[in-house]
């Protein structure tokens, strides 16, 4: 139960952009769950990686999110694959890799569309918009904006 609560608190800390707390809670969750590629293990690793990438602009955090995404594609539910893809794209964006972030976000949009995960597709499309602004590629930005408009929730 303590590990599950640590995951919840880690998510809350990420939302507040309190990356030190997110990292601390992710580490607490990792102590409570085996490192076996299970959903909760991957959640804890995703939180820790994204917090690290956002806090330090470090490539290690982005790599950790890439690793979680690879594991999620092999083993996890459709919804979590979307979450992992969004985290990997956001981590790439945090370290200044706009083209990598845009690629991951577009792949995540495509996969979420295929799996019927509309909300995840929308969130991934929004990350793609941010990433293409960083790259300065106007055509890619227009495509990402069109994708976000297509997936907008509640339209």
């Amino acid at each position: 139960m303590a590990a599950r609560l640590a995951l919840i608190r880690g998510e809350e800390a990420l939302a507040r952009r309190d990356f030190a707390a997110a990292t601390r809670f992710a580490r607490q969750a990792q102590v409570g769950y085996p490192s076996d590629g299970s959903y909760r293990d991957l959640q804890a690793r995703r939180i820790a990686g994204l917090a690290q990438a956002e806090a330090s602009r470090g490539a290690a955090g982005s790599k950790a999110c890439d690793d979680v995404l690879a594991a999620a594609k092999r083993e996890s539910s459709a919804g979590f694959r979307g979450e992992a893809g969004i985290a990997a794209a956001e981590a790439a964006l945090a370290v200044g890799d706009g083209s990598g972030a845009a690629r991951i976000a577009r792949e995540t949009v495509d996969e979420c569309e295929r799996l019927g995960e509309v909300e995840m597709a929308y969130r991934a499309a929004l990350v793609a918009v941010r990433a293409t602004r960083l790259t300065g590629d106007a055509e890619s930005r227009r495509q990402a904006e069109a994708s976000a408009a297509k997936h907008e929730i509640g339209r």
Side-chain angles (χ1 to χ4, degrees):
M1 185 63 147
R4 181 176 269 167
L5 185 57
L7 278 179
I8 293 167
R9 289 180 176 163
E11 289 286 1
E12 290 173 335
L14 274 179
R16 290 190 318 272
R17 300 190 61 78
D18 183 350
F19 303 122
T23 299
R24 186 176 68 252
F25 288 125
R27 299 289 181 235
Q28 288 174 7
Q30 287 173 316
V31 168
Y33 294 119
S35 297
D36 60 358
S38 66
Y39 173 77
R40 288 194 174 98
D41 171 46
L42 293 176
Q43 280 283 40
R45 290 170 39 201
R46 179 189 60 80
I47 292 166
L50 188 53
Q52 182 179 10
E54 291 280 4
S56 66
R57 308 279 186 223
S62 184
K63 167 100 173 68
C65 287
D66 289 343
D67 292 345
V68 168
L69 176 57
K73 285 181 177 180
R74 289 189 306 269
E75 317 238 350
S76 289
S77 69
F80 184 69
R81 287 196 300 259
E83 285 183 52
I86 291 166
E90 287 180 336
L93 199 54
V95 299
D97 182 6
S99 60
R103 178 187 51 76
I104 294 166
R106 281 191 307 267
E107 290 171 0
T108 302
V109 168
D110 292 345
E111 180 161 2
C112 289
E113 278 182 345
R114 186 177 60 74
L115 298 170
E117 292 287 333
V118 178
E119 182 179 348
M120 288 293 164
Y122 176 64
R123 289 178 49 210
L126 292 176
V127 176
V129 170
R130 289 179 22 228
T132 56
R133 284 193 178 131
L134 184 65
T135 66
D137 181 343
E139 180 57 30
S140 291
R141 187 180 75 234
R142 279 190 291 278
Q143 290 173 357
E145 288 170 342
S147 178
K150 173 183 168 186
H151 295 98
E152 183 180 8
I153 308 298
R155 60 177 175 100

